[in-house]
PDB file of all heavy atoms in Angstrom:
ATOM      1  N   ASN A 649      -2.107  12.290 -19.047  1.00  0.00           N
ATOM      2  CA  ASN A 649      -2.666  12.305 -17.687  1.00  0.00           C
ATOM      3  C   ASN A 649      -1.692  11.692 -16.690  1.00  0.00           C
ATOM      4  O   ASN A 649      -1.127  10.624 -16.910  1.00  0.00           O
ATOM      5  CB  ASN A 649      -3.991  11.537 -17.668  1.00  0.00           C
ATOM      6  CG  ASN A 649      -4.819  11.798 -16.408  1.00  0.00           C
ATOM      7  OD1 ASN A 649      -4.275  12.127 -15.357  1.00  0.00           O
ATOM      8  ND2 ASN A 649      -6.128  11.648 -16.544  1.00  0.00           N
ATOM      9  N   SER A 650      -1.466  12.387 -15.598  1.00  0.00           N
ATOM     10  CA  SER A 650      -0.749  11.847 -14.443  1.00  0.00           C
ATOM     11  C   SER A 650      -1.255  12.653 -13.246  1.00  0.00           C
ATOM     12  O   SER A 650      -2.384  13.196 -13.306  1.00  0.00           O
ATOM     13  CB  SER A 650       0.761  11.962 -14.618  1.00  0.00           C
ATOM     14  OG  SER A 650       1.444  11.401 -13.511  1.00  0.00           O
ATOM     15  N   GLY A 651      -0.495  12.758 -12.209  1.00  0.00           N
ATOM     16  CA  GLY A 651      -0.936  13.560 -11.072  1.00  0.00           C
ATOM     17  C   GLY A 651       0.014  13.417  -9.907  1.00  0.00           C
ATOM     18  O   GLY A 651       0.735  12.429  -9.796  1.00  0.00           O
ATOM     19  N   GLU A 659      -5.120  15.001  -5.030  1.00  0.00           N
ATOM     20  CA  GLU A 659      -4.426  15.065  -6.319  1.00  0.00           C
ATOM     21  C   GLU A 659      -4.380  16.459  -6.919  1.00  0.00           C
ATOM     22  O   GLU A 659      -5.414  17.084  -7.178  1.00  0.00           O
ATOM     23  CB  GLU A 659      -5.083  14.119  -7.331  1.00  0.00           C
ATOM     24  CG  GLU A 659      -4.322  14.116  -8.677  1.00  0.00           C
ATOM     25  CD  GLU A 659      -4.952  13.253  -9.755  1.00  0.00           C
ATOM     26  OE1 GLU A 659      -6.112  12.824  -9.585  1.00  0.00           O
ATOM     27  OE2 GLU A 659      -4.278  13.019 -10.780  1.00  0.00           O
ATOM     28  N   GLN A 661      -3.708  17.757 -10.334  1.00  0.00           N
ATOM     29  CA  GLN A 661      -3.760  17.082 -11.625  1.00  0.00           C
ATOM     30  C   GLN A 661      -2.595  17.473 -12.537  1.00  0.00           C
ATOM     31  O   GLN A 661      -2.205  18.652 -12.605  1.00  0.00           O
ATOM     32  CB  GLN A 661      -5.093  17.409 -12.320  1.00  0.00           C
ATOM     33  CG  GLN A 661      -5.244  16.900 -13.734  1.00  0.00           C
ATOM     34  CD  GLN A 661      -5.383  15.378 -13.833  1.00  0.00           C
ATOM     35  OE1 GLN A 661      -4.603  14.621 -13.240  1.00  0.00           O
ATOM     36  NE2 GLN A 661      -6.359  14.928 -14.576  1.00  0.00           N
ATOM     37  N   ILE A 662      -2.047  16.467 -13.203  1.00  0.00           N
ATOM     38  CA  ILE A 662      -1.133  16.679 -14.321  1.00  0.00           C
ATOM     39  C   ILE A 662      -1.850  16.155 -15.559  1.00  0.00           C
ATOM     40  O   ILE A 662      -2.358  15.022 -15.558  1.00  0.00           O
ATOM     41  CB  ILE A 662       0.198  15.943 -14.097  1.00  0.00           C
ATOM     42  CG1 ILE A 662       1.012  16.643 -13.001  1.00  0.00           C
ATOM     43  CG2 ILE A 662       1.002  15.872 -15.402  1.00  0.00           C
ATOM     44  CD1 ILE A 662       2.284  15.927 -12.616  1.00  0.00           C
ATOM     45  N   GLN A 759       1.100   9.462 -10.404  1.00  0.00           N
ATOM     46  CA  GLN A 759       0.128   8.570 -11.023  1.00  0.00           C
ATOM     47  C   GLN A 759       0.571   8.039 -12.388  1.00  0.00           C
ATOM     48  O   GLN A 759       1.067   8.791 -13.230  1.00  0.00           O
ATOM     49  CB  GLN A 759      -1.188   9.354 -11.192  1.00  0.00           C
ATOM     50  CG  GLN A 759      -2.358   8.536 -11.689  1.00  0.00           C
ATOM     51  CD  GLN A 759      -3.596   9.405 -11.862  1.00  0.00           C
ATOM     52  OE1 GLN A 759      -3.530  10.501 -12.421  1.00  0.00           O
ATOM     53  NE2 GLN A 759      -4.725   8.936 -11.373  1.00  0.00           N
ATOM     54  N   HIS A 761      -1.301   6.929 -15.377  1.00  0.00           N
ATOM     55  CA  HIS A 761      -2.648   6.921 -15.960  1.00  0.00           C
ATOM     56  C   HIS A 761      -2.576   6.407 -17.399  1.00  0.00           C
ATOM     57  O   HIS A 761      -3.399   6.714 -18.245  1.00  0.00           O
ATOM     58  CB  HIS A 761      -3.245   8.336 -15.917  1.00  0.00           C
ATOM     59  CG  HIS A 761      -4.742   8.381 -15.983  1.00  0.00           C
ATOM     60  ND1 HIS A 761      -5.445   8.215 -17.149  1.00  0.00           N
ATOM     61  CD2 HIS A 761      -5.673   8.577 -15.014  1.00  0.00           C
ATOM     62  CE1 HIS A 761      -6.742   8.314 -16.905  1.00  0.00           C
ATOM     63  NE2 HIS A 761      -6.909   8.528 -15.621  1.00  0.00           N
TER      64      HIS A 761
HETATM   65 MG1  LIG B1361      -4.413  12.381 -13.008  1.00  0.00          MG
END
Side-chain angles (χ1 to χ4, degrees):
N649 195 333
S650 182
E659 183 183 13
Q661 174 70 311
I662 288 175
Q759 186 182 46
H761 202 282

